[in-house]
Amino acid sequence: MRELRAVVSEHHTAVHTLTSALLGGHPTSTMARECGIEISDRYRVIALAIPSHPDESNPILDAQVVARRKLRRVQAELATRCDDTVLSLLSIDGGTLLIPADHITEVALEELIAHLSQAARVPITAAVVTAPTDTVPTAADQAHQLLDMVTRLRSVPGLYHFDDLALEYQLTRPGPARDCVGSLLDPLDEHPELLETLQIHIAHNLNRQRTARLLHVHTNTVDYRLKRIGQLTGFDPTQASGLWHLRSALVARTYRR
């Protein structure tokens, strides 16, 4: 058992070193041979956010033990579904996955994130960028920035692609334009309930019933608040043009402070 543990530990250490090297843009051919892993030409670089399990806040349980068990379930699910093709650096609250692009389709990747959520028993949010091996470090930065943006917007858990949110990503770049767009929501500063309503309404695909349920209010209250948002900002959230400006302002505003 000691020999087996030593071999497994040595392999895991080598894989982690290889993953770190890829993410750092360092040469990996020698380490790859030592690990017995073939380096792919392209990777799906995935940033993961794993929320706390409800039991982690249970005072009668050890939060660290619960968190470690959650992480082990995720790692076991990865090993089962991806074999040795996936490279990962994970902690109890998330991390980075590298999966050869030709080993998994986009549909299969969405299914994988769903299975990881089931294994963790919490809804996982992920962002993916597909890139050549030599640009993995840049892709990882983009994936984690995209994940940060999705988290700030309190979007529903799931898998997000960089291509689908390129406009929102661009709005988060520093500069006077971002500050100007973010200021469109300044009239709502004294009405936090309106800002919360707008954020939840957009995050849940403009579903009035779901917005009302999450806010614990009647749908008529949601309608009134949306109308009031339009009056205060000058942009009607029930119209396409107004909604575009409000969503853009919401994205920019989350990075202004």
Side-chain angles (χ1 to χ4, degrees):
M1 286 297 296
R2 283 196 298 271
E3 290 177 0
L4 177 60
R5 286 173 180 160
V7 170
V8 171
S9 177
E10 183 178 348
H11 177 72
H12 285 175
T13 300
V15 170
H16 283 179
T17 303
L18 173 61
T19 309
S20 298
L22 280 170
L23 291 171
H26 304 304
T28 57
S29 55
T30 302
M31 284 181 284
R33 286 195 298 270
E34 292 175 354
C35 298
I37 297 174
E38 183 179 351
I39 299 298
S40 177
D41 293 332
R42 291 173 62 82
Y43 280 95
R44 300 201 188 277
V45 185
I46 306 154
L48 289 183
I50 307 175
S52 298
H53 190 280
D55 285 348
E56 291 181 50
S57 57
N58 189 331
I60 66 174
L61 298 176
D62 188 322
Q64 292 184 350
V65 171
V66 174
R68 286 197 298 269
R69 287 176 177 171
K70 175 188 67 178
L71 176 59
R72 283 198 295 269
R73 291 195 301 271
V74 171
Q75 291 171 327
E77 189 71 15
L78 273 175
T80 299
R81 299 193 174 273
C82 300
D83 299 324
D84 293 331
T85 61
V86 62
L87 299 174
S88 65
L89 283 178
L90 295 176
S91 66
I92 60 173
D93 55 4
T96 308
L97 304 179
L98 301 178
I99 304 178
D102 57 352
H103 286 201
I104 189 168
T105 64
E106 292 189 358
V107 174
L109 184 56
E110 291 187 3
E111 294 175 352
L112 174 63
I113 300 302
H115 287 302
L116 294 182
S117 295
Q118 292 176 1
R121 300 170 193 167
V122 289
I124 290 177
T125 303
V128 59
V129 177
T130 303
T133 302
D134 58 350
T135 62
V136 161
T138 301
D141 287 341
Q142 289 179 338
H144 279 279
Q145 289 171 10
L146 183 63
L147 179 63
D148 178 65
M149 182 188 73
V150 170
T151 303
R152 286 171 182 256
L153 293 174
R154 295 195 291 179
S155 300
V156 295
L159 178 64
Y160 292 85
H161 297 266
F162 184 84
D163 293 346
D164 297 333
L165 293 172
L167 175 60
E168 289 85 348
Y169 175 83
Q170 190 61 37
L171 286 169
T172 66
R173 300 305 87 195
R178 186 182 74 179
D179 296 336
C180 179
V181 173
S183 67
L184 297 179
L185 293 180
D186 285 354
L188 303 184
D189 283 345
E190 297 181 1
H191 307 276
E193 76 283 357
L194 298 183
L195 190 61
E196 182 184 26
T197 299
L198 178 65
Q199 191 172 38
I200 291 177
H201 191 55
I202 290 177
H204 292 85
N205 201 26
L206 312 182
N207 188 315
R208 292 166 57 252
Q209 287 76 18
R210 184 162 179 78
T211 300
R213 188 162 58 251
L214 291 171
L215 290 171
H216 306 291
V217 298
H218 194 274
T219 52
N220 290 343
T221 302
V222 173
D223 291 336
Y224 168 78
R225 291 182 180 180
L226 294 177
K227 181 179 179 180
R228 186 68 178 142
I229 289 170
Q231 292 172 343
L232 291 173
T233 63
F235 298 103
D236 187 350
T238 64
Q239 300 295 321
S241 59
L243 182 63
W244 188 89
H245 281 87
L246 291 170
R247 176 173 172 76
S248 299
L250 198 59
V251 172
R253 183 185 177 89
T254 59
Y255 284 82
R256 200 171 59 170
R257 294 186 181 87

